[in-house]
Amino acid sequence: MGVHPIRKLRPFVFAFMMLTVAAGCSVKNNSNSKDASLMSEPVQANTPSEKVTLKMMESLTNPQRTGILKEQLAAFEAENPLIHVELISPPFDQADETIRTMLAAKQDLDVIEVRDVNIADYVSKQYIDPLDTYAANWKDFSTVADIPLNVGSVEGQIYFLANGLYERQLYYRKDWFDSQKLKPPTTWQELYETAVKLTDRSKNRYGFSFRGAKGANSIFDTMIRTYNGDQLDQDDGAFRKDGSSAYSSPEAEQALSLFALLYKNASPEESLYFGFEEQVNAFTSGQTAMLLQDSDVIQTLQAKMPPDTWATAPMPTGPNGKALITVGAAGWGIPAQSLHKEEAWKLIAYLSSPEQNISFGKRYGLVPIHTTAATDPFFMTGPYQPLIEMTNDPDKYRYYRLPIQYPSYLEWEKRSTKAEQQMLLGEATVKETLKAWDAFWKEQKALMHR
């Protein structure tokens, strides 16, 4: 019995996380879960008699975010003088690999940041413990919405509590658009055409903030799935309803070809090697006109750009007028090798409380996990408005589930990014690239069904 498909929980994502799922096997109310018998015997987080040091490692490292987290940890330590938290913040591009290496070596870790993209891998390797028995006795558990619980679960068991939800939208240079009397694009084709119009290489100005390095698949995968449209299996974003992979269709070739043109004709040449930081910096510095990113980037834009120079818009749609989008999350989990699991849970419960989680969301631009944030005007105005628009139009903006249930999903990110770069360098064609990706996912499905 697996996690709810994201699309089935669509109405609960943003500030509308006000109801619970009435049908299906909810993680919170799953009487058939193999862990259900444990739910009636909650684990208590005891107060330590001697000072304990918790080693905590974050994954989505960012100076601003780390600063906010340190403030929350200091407040936690003030309330719990016998617990000290040692926060480890590796560079973003190295963080997941560092965490994975330390978990494999059973090194001293007590709280780690787990992501939707690696939860299946961690669970399959038994690197992290389920949190159900702790959560069953947590006073704030009843207000945690279903989507964050499902994103942080595998086979009906909770393995991390999300620290916020990530949803993507379009950010654009309003001043550039206004000067050329352009409107924000509503389709991927319009995005490309608009990006070309805004590109002036002589001025080092480009229409699109391309991302070709780590995380690049978040763009071309979105395009490919959107172009597959109604034929995509929304419960498994790697495949179509007929069982073929999403990368084997003529629509996939159309989408990847447009992606290649977007790089060639409307993006900085060096952006082939851009990761998150470089992609965002290109936008804030005035080098690029459009950026596709999650809501956590809003805080950075507000800090670095005058408010009248940028604005937000919904995600582009495909040829059928629909957009395929998803919700991502990362959050706190407990490594199996931790020697201080009850103290680790106490920290997670504190950071995940409505007060701390909503504050974290406001300060860093994430959607909180608690239904109590539903009526907060902060999340329903300004740059967050397109997220509301997309959430309120589930027929046009359709949610699909990332294929994170495959333990090799992390391998996909690495392999597809390398292949995408080779394709854009002219070392492989679009057809050859898609053929390799199709073979990868067919192999993954075969392995899953052994």
Side-chain angles (χ1 to χ4, degrees):
M1 189 172 302
V3 178
H4 280 303
I6 291 295
R7 67 180 178 88
K8 293 182 181 177
L9 297 174
R10 180 71 182 90
F12 312 96
V13 177
F14 200 66
F16 344 69
M17 302 183 291
M18 302 175 69
L19 303 174
T20 57
V21 176
C25 47
S26 169
V27 173
K28 280 194 284 189
N29 302 301
N30 184 356
S31 60
N32 294 320
S33 169
K34 61 184 177 181
D35 199 52
S37 62
L38 297 176
M39 297 285 280
S40 61
E41 299 179 11
V43 174
Q44 298 285 349
N46 298 326
T47 302
S49 57
E50 298 180 1
K51 192 157 188 175
V52 168
T53 295
L54 297 178
K55 289 194 175 181
M56 177 181 189
M57 184 174 289
E58 60 177 327
S59 165
L60 302 178
T61 313
N62 170 285
Q64 178 192 3
R65 183 179 187 269
T66 300
I68 297 169
L69 185 55
K70 285 182 176 179
E71 290 181 21
Q72 292 186 318
L73 295 179
F76 171 79
E77 290 178 331
E79 291 186 16
N80 299 274
L82 292 181
I83 303 178
H84 170 65
V85 184
E86 179 185 331
L87 179 64
I88 306 170
S89 304
F92 170 75
D93 288 342
Q94 303 170 20
D96 285 337
E97 191 61 40
T98 302
I99 293 172
R100 193 178 305 108
T101 300
M102 292 182 70
L103 290 173
K106 299 188 183 302
Q107 294 185 28
D108 190 9
L109 285 174
D110 300 293
V111 177
I112 60 169
E113 188 165 23
V114 186
R115 298 173 60 190
D116 53 0
V117 297
N118 57 30
I119 181 175
D121 180 52
Y122 287 179
V123 171
S124 70
K125 292 182 171 65
Q126 299 183 337
Y127 286 163
I128 52 179
D129 282 352
L131 304 178
D132 302 74
T133 53
Y134 299 103
N137 199 44
W138 178 36
K139 65 182 179 65
D140 296 318
F141 185 57
S142 63
T143 63
V144 180
D146 288 281
I147 280 183
L149 287 178
N150 280 276
V151 176
S153 299
V154 173
E155 295 296 328
Q157 290 187 289
I158 307 165
Y159 285 91
F160 75 79
L161 278 177
N163 46 42
L165 301 179
Y166 296 79
E167 187 174 353
R168 186 154 299 186
Q169 62 182 346
L170 174 68
Y171 301 82
Y172 66 96
R173 289 292 305 240
K174 188 175 183 299
D175 49 354
W176 292 22
F177 275 71
D178 290 348
S179 67
Q180 295 196 32
K181 298 181 179 180
L182 296 172
K183 294 181 179 181
T186 60
T187 69
W188 281 103
Q189 184 63 37
E190 285 180 4
L191 184 146
Y192 168 69
E193 293 170 357
T194 303
V196 171
K197 291 177 182 177
L198 290 165
T199 297
D200 186 342
R201 297 181 187 277
S202 67
K203 297 180 180 179
N204 193 33
R205 289 173 59 159
Y206 298 86
F208 187 66
S209 206
F210 195 83
R211 181 174 180 173
K214 183 178 174 64
N217 66 300
S218 63
I219 297 178
F220 58 73
D221 275 345
T222 297
M223 293 180 69
I224 288 171
R225 287 159 183 159
T226 295
Y227 270 66
N228 273 287
D230 294 334
Q231 298 307 309
L232 188 79
D233 182 350
Q234 289 177 239
D235 293 341
D236 185 343
F239 289 89
R240 289 161 60 95
K241 293 176 180 177
D242 63 5
S244 62
S245 88
Y247 305 89
S248 63
S249 67
E251 292 84 358
E253 183 177 349
Q254 185 181 359
L256 193 59
S257 296
L258 186 63
F259 173 81
L261 290 175
L262 192 57
Y263 169 70
K264 180 180 179 181
N265 297 330
S267 305
E269 184 176 359
E270 64 273 20
S271 63
L272 180 63
Y273 306 104
F274 279 4
F276 171 80
E277 295 288 349
E278 297 86 355
Q279 179 197 28
V280 174
N281 288 340
F283 183 75
T284 59
S285 68
Q287 185 184 23
T288 57
M290 289 184 284
L291 170 72
L292 292 172
Q293 261 303 336
D294 296 320
S295 58
D296 60 326
V297 80
I298 289 175
Q299 303 288 338
T300 300
L301 304 190
Q302 290 174 331
K304 293 187 176 182
M305 301 174 69
D308 59 346
T309 62
W310 64 281
T312 57
M315 285 293 288
T317 61
N320 69 343
K322 315 286 184 182
L324 273 292
I325 53 181
T326 191
V327 171
W332 308 117
I334 300 177
Q337 69 256 33
S338 170
L339 299 179
H340 308 291
K341 293 180 181 179
E342 293 184 12
E343 292 84 2
W345 168 252
K346 192 169 189 177
L347 173 59
I348 292 173
Y350 176 85
L351 294 175
S352 304
S353 67
E355 179 183 0
Q356 296 299 325
N357 179 253
I358 292 173
S359 173
F360 188 78
K362 286 183 176 181
R363 297 180 66 186
Y364 193 61
L366 298 181
V367 182
I369 66 173
H370 289 277
T371 57
T372 48
T375 58
D376 196 319
F378 180 90
F379 296 101
M380 304 182 73
T381 58
Y384 294 91
Q385 184 59 41
L387 298 173
I388 297 174
E389 180 181 336
M390 290 189 288
T391 300
N392 285 340
D393 193 356
D395 182 61
K396 183 176 182 180
Y397 299 97
R398 299 182 176 180
Y399 275 75
Y400 69 88
R401 185 184 180 201
L402 287 169
I404 58 175
Q405 69 270 31
Y406 296 92
S408 294
Y409 183 77
L410 286 177
E411 178 63 24
W412 165 249
E413 180 178 316
K414 296 177 184 178
R415 186 179 299 193
S416 64
T417 297
K418 181 179 179 180
E420 162 252 348
Q421 289 180 327
Q422 291 173 331
M423 177 190 74
L424 295 177
L425 288 171
E427 298 173 6
T429 66
V430 168
K431 287 181 180 291
E432 290 169 341
T433 302
L434 288 171
K435 184 177 180 180
W437 292 352
D438 175 50
F440 175 87
W441 284 111
K442 285 179 179 176
E443 179 183 15
Q444 298 312 304
K445 177 166 276 193
L447 291 173
M448 281 282 286
H449 287 87
R450 282 186 178 179

